[in-house]
Amino acid sequence: MTDIRHPAPAQRFSARAAVIGEDTRIVRALPHRERRTVGAWCFLDHLGPVQFAPGKGMHVGAHPHIGLQTFTWMIEGEVVHRDSLGNEQIVRPGQVNLMTAGRGIAHTEDSLLEGARLHAAQLWIALPEAQRRCAPAFANHPELPQVDTGGWRATVLAGSALGQTAPAQVYTPLVGLDLASTGPAQTTLALRPGFEYAAMVLRGAATVAGEALAPGEWLYFAPGRTALEARCDDAAQWLLLGGEPFAEDILIWWNLVARSQAELQAALDDWNAGRFAPVRAGSLAAPLPAPSLSGARVRASGQG
Ligand code: MN
């Protein structure tokens, strides 16, 4: 029940450590076994900030995606995206790479320079039934709207907030905001009561809706809130992601979002049989073999 006078208390979740590519450690907030999606946001990896050793970098070899959009928000460093549509695009700090997988795309991701710093958020957005088999597409968004509010610099990553609208094309009602400060900051953000939200700190520490938040943890806010106060005592950065609760049950497995095990298996078979279009050459990493689906427990997204 949505009751804007008495919003439900925030729920606190831990992110878990994971490894992507050859040896790039990240922190994964979504999916969480008790909270599979926030709006259509279905995946939230926080990478870094990391300083790679000389000669080292992030190299994720060719792999397929279906049924989702990958949304890369670059904070520090540069990553080169190459895909099966023939695109090659560097994503730089302050920019978003948005890849709409639809019925199927494959790509690679490599840090541009070895021995560099890297800090990014890698997000996925589940596509709704009407769009999930659309033709694949890719876009780089070099400039995003920014608004200064109470010492926070807010960048509108997706959807609309603070009177600004992000350029990324999305297919369900959602919002993404990055808020960064170089010192003490305090603001109250307007929320949509029909949206649920997640807050995750990327750097420093912040207090969101009265809850202290540090890297490695995130907060979930059920629908029903109209405002959120956010403050910090020193330099900090955090993400606010929200959206209308995603009405469809989804299966997430490896890099695929689908509705049935058979559909997942078909995509894995297509990948293993080389039926995806080849990715534009250039990655330093080998293609990723699909893990076996047999015997795996693939969980539906239903929140129960
Ligand atoms: Mn990918």
Side-chain angles (χ1 to χ4, degrees):
M1 245 316 255
T2 296
D3 181 345
I4 62 172
R5 292 161 304 172
H6 303 287
Q11 287 175 264
R12 186 178 290 272
F13 293 107
S14 294
R16 63 189 192 278
V19 172
I20 60 165
E22 285 154 346
D23 186 26
T24 302
R25 272 162 286 188
I26 56 93
V27 169
R28 182 160 298 157
L30 278 180
H32 187 284
R33 63 191 160 80
E34 293 167 44
R35 172 51 55 189
R36 310 290 289 172
T37 52
V38 175
W41 300 102
C42 63
F43 190 89
L44 199 186
D45 270 3
H46 179 208
L47 189 166
V50 58
Q51 170 67 55
F52 284 101
K56 297 285 186 187
M58 181 192 78
H59 300 287
V60 182
H63 58 279
H65 287 283
I66 63 165
L68 57 86
Q69 296 176 290
T70 64
F71 189 106
T72 304
W73 165 231
M74 210 65 214
I75 300 165
E76 281 185 84
E78 287 92 20
V79 167
V80 188
H81 155 99
R82 298 179 179 92
D83 66 35
S84 52
L85 299 174
N87 295 299
E88 179 175 77
Q89 177 68 53
I90 299 171
V91 59
R92 300 183 189 281
Q95 301 185 350
V96 160
N97 269 4
L98 179 68
M99 184 176 78
T100 302
R103 69 174 78 103
I105 195 168
H107 73 149
T108 60
E109 292 164 291
D110 291 83
S111 41
L112 180 66
L113 302 170
E114 304 294 81
R117 272 178 73 82
L118 213 54
H119 190 194
Q122 169 85 283
L123 311 166
W124 294 356
I125 302 167
L127 287 169
E129 187 61 34
Q131 274 85 26
R132 70 190 189 92
R133 294 184 186 85
C134 69
F138 173 82
N140 170 258
H141 297 295
E143 283 185 34
L144 304 177
Q146 291 192 320
V147 178
D148 290 333
T149 173
W152 295 106
R153 168 147 296 185
T155 304
V156 184
L157 305 177
S160 295
L162 298 160
Q164 303 289 321
T165 298
Q169 185 174 6
V170 296
Y171 298 94
T172 50
L174 56 78
V175 70
L177 271 183
D178 176 280
L179 293 111
S181 84
T182 54
Q186 190 276 329
T187 195
T188 299
L189 299 167
L191 301 188
R192 294 176 196 219
F195 278 19
E196 57 187 352
Y197 290 89
M200 184 181 186
V201 168
L202 303 176
R203 176 169 58 83
T207 300
V208 178
E211 301 269 348
L213 199 52
E217 292 185 322
W218 61 282
L219 296 172
Y220 171 78
F221 300 97
R225 283 177 187 258
T226 56
L228 196 68
E229 195 228 8
R231 57 190 154 83
C232 63
D233 298 326
D234 208 338
Q237 186 167 6
W238 62 289
L239 284 182
L240 180 67
L241 304 176
E244 278 184 8
F246 196 69
E248 301 168 39
D249 275 354
I250 57 174
L251 297 177
I252 302 177
W253 174 250
W254 196 37
N255 300 298
L256 315 170
V257 172
R259 301 298 186 272
S260 71
Q261 295 249 3
E263 212 181 308
L264 293 174
Q265 189 61 57
L268 294 176
D269 291 346
D270 284 347
W271 178 248
N272 287 332
R275 288 192 289 266
F276 278 74
V279 177
R280 181 170 170 148
S283 176
L284 295 183
L288 306 185
S292 172
L293 186 59
S294 63
R297 284 176 62 230
V298 180
R299 299 170 60 103
S301 63
Q303 307 296 335

